[in-house]
mmCIF file of all heavy atoms in Angstrom:
data_model
loop_
_atom_site.group_PDB
_atom_site.id
_atom_site.type_symbol
_atom_site.label_atom_id
_atom_site.label_comp_id
_atom_site.label_asym_id
_atom_site.label_seq_id
_atom_site.Cartn_x
_atom_site.Cartn_y
_atom_site.Cartn_z
ATOM 1 N N ASP A 291 22.257 2.273 1.151
ATOM 2 C CA ASP A 291 23.362 3.109 0.645
ATOM 3 C C ASP A 291 22.931 3.921 -0.584
ATOM 4 O O ASP A 291 23.269 5.066 -0.708
ATOM 5 C CB ASP A 291 24.567 2.179 0.266
ATOM 6 C CG ASP A 291 25.386 1.829 1.466
ATOM 7 O OD1 ASP A 291 26.290 2.620 1.754
ATOM 8 O OD2 ASP A 291 25.137 0.849 2.129
ATOM 9 N N VAL A 292 22.137 3.280 -1.427
ATOM 10 C CA VAL A 292 21.645 3.986 -2.591
ATOM 11 C C VAL A 292 20.693 5.037 -2.205
ATOM 12 O O VAL A 292 20.709 6.182 -2.698
ATOM 13 C CB VAL A 292 20.899 3.010 -3.567
ATOM 14 C CG1 VAL A 292 20.470 3.704 -4.785
ATOM 15 C CG2 VAL A 292 21.816 1.826 -3.896
ATOM 16 N N GLU A 381 32.887 -4.008 7.709
ATOM 17 C CA GLU A 381 31.673 -4.721 8.025
ATOM 18 C C GLU A 381 30.551 -4.505 6.999
ATOM 19 O O GLU A 381 29.703 -5.364 6.843
ATOM 20 C CB GLU A 381 31.191 -4.441 9.446
ATOM 21 C CG GLU A 381 32.084 -5.154 10.449
ATOM 22 C CD GLU A 381 31.862 -4.653 11.843
ATOM 23 O OE1 GLU A 381 30.705 -4.255 12.150
ATOM 24 O OE2 GLU A 381 32.791 -4.696 12.628
ATOM 25 N N ASN A 382 30.549 -3.350 6.359
ATOM 26 C CA ASN A 382 29.480 -3.021 5.411
ATOM 27 C C ASN A 382 29.850 -3.644 4.048
ATOM 28 O O ASN A 382 30.838 -3.290 3.434
ATOM 29 C CB ASN A 382 29.357 -1.490 5.364
ATOM 30 C CG ASN A 382 28.249 -1.083 4.442
ATOM 31 O OD1 ASN A 382 27.570 -1.944 3.855
ATOM 32 N ND2 ASN A 382 28.015 0.199 4.359
ATOM 33 N N PHE A 383 29.034 -4.573 3.571
ATOM 34 C CA PHE A 383 29.338 -5.179 2.277
ATOM 35 C C PHE A 383 29.490 -4.166 1.189
ATOM 36 O O PHE A 383 30.394 -4.297 0.309
ATOM 37 C CB PHE A 383 28.164 -6.080 1.833
ATOM 38 C CG PHE A 383 27.811 -7.155 2.735
ATOM 39 C CD1 PHE A 383 26.443 -7.576 2.865
ATOM 40 C CD2 PHE A 383 28.716 -7.783 3.596
ATOM 41 C CE1 PHE A 383 26.101 -8.511 3.764
ATOM 42 C CE2 PHE A 383 28.337 -8.751 4.483
ATOM 43 C CZ PHE A 383 27.021 -9.126 4.591
ATOM 44 N N VAL A 384 28.584 -3.153 1.152
ATOM 45 C CA VAL A 384 28.582 -2.204 0.102
ATOM 46 C C VAL A 384 29.938 -1.470 0.039
ATOM 47 O O VAL A 384 30.566 -1.323 -1.008
ATOM 48 C CB VAL A 384 27.378 -1.208 0.256
ATOM 49 C CG1 VAL A 384 27.367 -0.251 -0.899
ATOM 50 C CG2 VAL A 384 26.078 -1.992 0.319
ATOM 51 N N THR A 385 30.404 -1.047 1.297
ATOM 52 C CA THR A 385 31.714 -0.337 1.279
ATOM 53 C C THR A 385 32.806 -1.306 0.826
ATOM 54 O O THR A 385 33.717 -0.955 0.130
ATOM 55 C CB THR A 385 31.946 0.165 2.693
ATOM 56 O OG1 THR A 385 30.895 0.960 3.063
ATOM 57 C CG2 THR A 385 33.245 0.923 2.772
ATOM 58 N N ALA A 386 32.704 -2.589 1.274
ATOM 59 C CA ALA A 386 33.746 -3.557 0.866
ATOM 60 C C ALA A 386 33.773 -3.722 -0.636
ATOM 61 O O ALA A 386 34.836 -3.747 -1.237
ATOM 62 C CB ALA A 386 33.440 -4.924 1.564
ATOM 63 N N VAL A 387 32.649 -3.800 -1.292
ATOM 64 C CA VAL A 387 32.569 -3.966 -2.745
ATOM 65 C C VAL A 387 33.102 -2.691 -3.395
ATOM 66 O O VAL A 387 33.974 -2.778 -4.264
ATOM 67 C CB VAL A 387 31.163 -4.317 -3.174
ATOM 68 C CG1 VAL A 387 31.084 -4.264 -4.717
ATOM 69 C CG2 VAL A 387 30.701 -5.632 -2.709
ATOM 70 N N LEU A 388 32.594 -1.561 -2.984
ATOM 71 C CA LEU A 388 32.982 -0.279 -3.639
ATOM 72 C C LEU A 388 34.430 0.012 -3.479
ATOM 73 O O LEU A 388 35.118 0.412 -4.414
ATOM 74 C CB LEU A 388 32.121 0.842 -3.078
ATOM 75 C CG LEU A 388 30.703 0.979 -3.477
ATOM 76 C CD1 LEU A 388 30.033 2.187 -2.777
ATOM 77 C CD2 LEU A 388 30.591 1.108 -4.983
ATOM 78 N N ALA A 389 34.992 -0.146 -2.263
ATOM 79 C CA ALA A 389 36.305 0.311 -2.031
ATOM 80 C C ALA A 389 37.367 -0.755 -2.258
ATOM 81 O O ALA A 389 38.482 -0.413 -2.602
ATOM 82 C CB ALA A 389 36.425 0.779 -0.553
ATOM 83 N N GLY B 181 31.452 4.913 7.170
ATOM 84 C CA GLY B 181 31.105 4.163 5.957
ATOM 85 C C GLY B 181 31.406 2.665 6.065
ATOM 86 O O GLY B 181 30.747 1.852 5.390
ATOM 87 N N GLY B 186 26.516 4.869 3.802
ATOM 88 C CA GLY B 186 27.280 6.035 3.707
ATOM 89 C C GLY B 186 28.676 5.761 3.300
ATOM 90 O O GLY B 186 29.041 4.651 2.938
#
Side-chain angles (χ1 to χ4, degrees):
Chain A
D291 276 274
V292 183
E381 284 169 30
N382 183 359
F383 305 145
V384 181
T385 305
V387 172
L388 285 179

